[in-house]
Amino acid sequence: MSVGFWEILALLLLVGTGLAVVRLQNAVHAALALIANFLVVAGVYVALEARFVAMIQIIVYAGAIVVLFLFVIMLLSAASANVGQDLLPRLPWVAGLGAAGLAAVLVYALTRFQPPANAPALGGGLPQALGPLLYDPEKWLYALLVVGFLLLVATVAAVVLIEPERIISATSHPAHPRQDQKPTPPMTEQKDGKAVVKR
Amino acid sequence: MIWLIASALLFSIGAYGALTRRTAILMFLSIELMLNAAALSLISFSRLSGSLDAQVVVLFIIAIAAAEVAVGLGLIVAIFRRRETTSVDELRQLRG
């Protein structure tokens, strides 16, 4: 693979937006930098003959996951990265050294990879090529079913995590649901009041 | 080959962020960066060796990342409701 202008530009954009994600002090800006990083990665996927994965990357990663992050950051008013006290003032230097060492080891290991001489073409990585692999019982069909079930379990877990008291009390005391539910509405009202006061 | 190096750099940057960030949400963002770097290396290997299986694995990675974000952000919101904080330094009640 030749290294031209666009490869260098994409590499610089990837590293720059990655550094912005880990260094920016405003969480909203960091999440927006993460979206930029994912979009550049999607462009790289297109260049690497993985067009379907590039579309999924834009739709699911940049479109759904990071927007969920942005919702939570704004819902909790947790945009500032400087919370609490700095317990380890020298941690950035140590972490930087560790990350540089990790990068050196990874680059050394990955550049020793010898690709096969005549690799077959991928057909652009279009759904026509990926579908038969995904739904082949001897390849990935059962993994696909397990991942679908995992998504269902994660959805149920997210719902239970948000309202644990209400759901657990409703299932364990079906006769007196009112008694245990009463303390929860004032709490949420207080939260709403605080949020309004902050704004 | 340059994309393998790019994925190594992105993974290291994500590891640096996961080590230095102090709020749970930003640590989570850095972990997403690391996941994405691993997916980039898989796509690059897929191109180099001419096999589509790695692209299927990347699809699974994206689906699992979605599930992980749903559960993780649910946890962060639940903790914030109890403690009014997302700082990971203040959540050390489990320390013996």
Side-chain angles (χ1 to χ4, degrees), chain B residues 63-80:
Chain B
I64 290 170
E68 170 219 339
V69 164
V71 174
L73 288 180
L75 274 174
I76 290 175
V77 171
I79 290 172
F80 187 85

Side-chain angles (χ1 to χ4, degrees), chain A residues 21 24 49 103 165 191, chain B residues 12 16 21-22 55 82 84:
Chain A
V21 169
L24 282 180
E49 291 191 63
E165 299 91 359
K191 293 271 167 52
Chain B
S12 314
Y16 171 83
R21 288 295 201 184
R22 290 204 298 266
Q55 298 191 6
R82 296 252 160 99
E84 296 281 330

Side-chain angles (χ1 to χ4, degrees), chain A residues 1-2 7 18 24 36 48 50 58 62-63 74-75 87 92 98 114 120 132-133 151 154 156 168 170 185 187 197:
Chain A
M1 244 186 290
S2 65
E7 281 84 359
L24 282 180
L48 289 174
I58 292 175
M74 295 176 182
L75 177 74
L87 295 177
Q114 295 288 340
L133 281 178
L151 275 174
V156 174
I168 290 171
M187 274 179 64
V197 166

Side-chain angles (χ1 to χ4, degrees), chain A residues 5 34 39 44 90 104 135-136 140 145 178 182 190:
Chain A
F5 169 71
L34 192 66
L39 291 181
V44 172
R90 289 197 200 140
Y135 294 103
D136 187 357
W140 297 103
L145 295 178
R178 285 285 169 122
K182 265 187 183 172
Q190 275 181 1

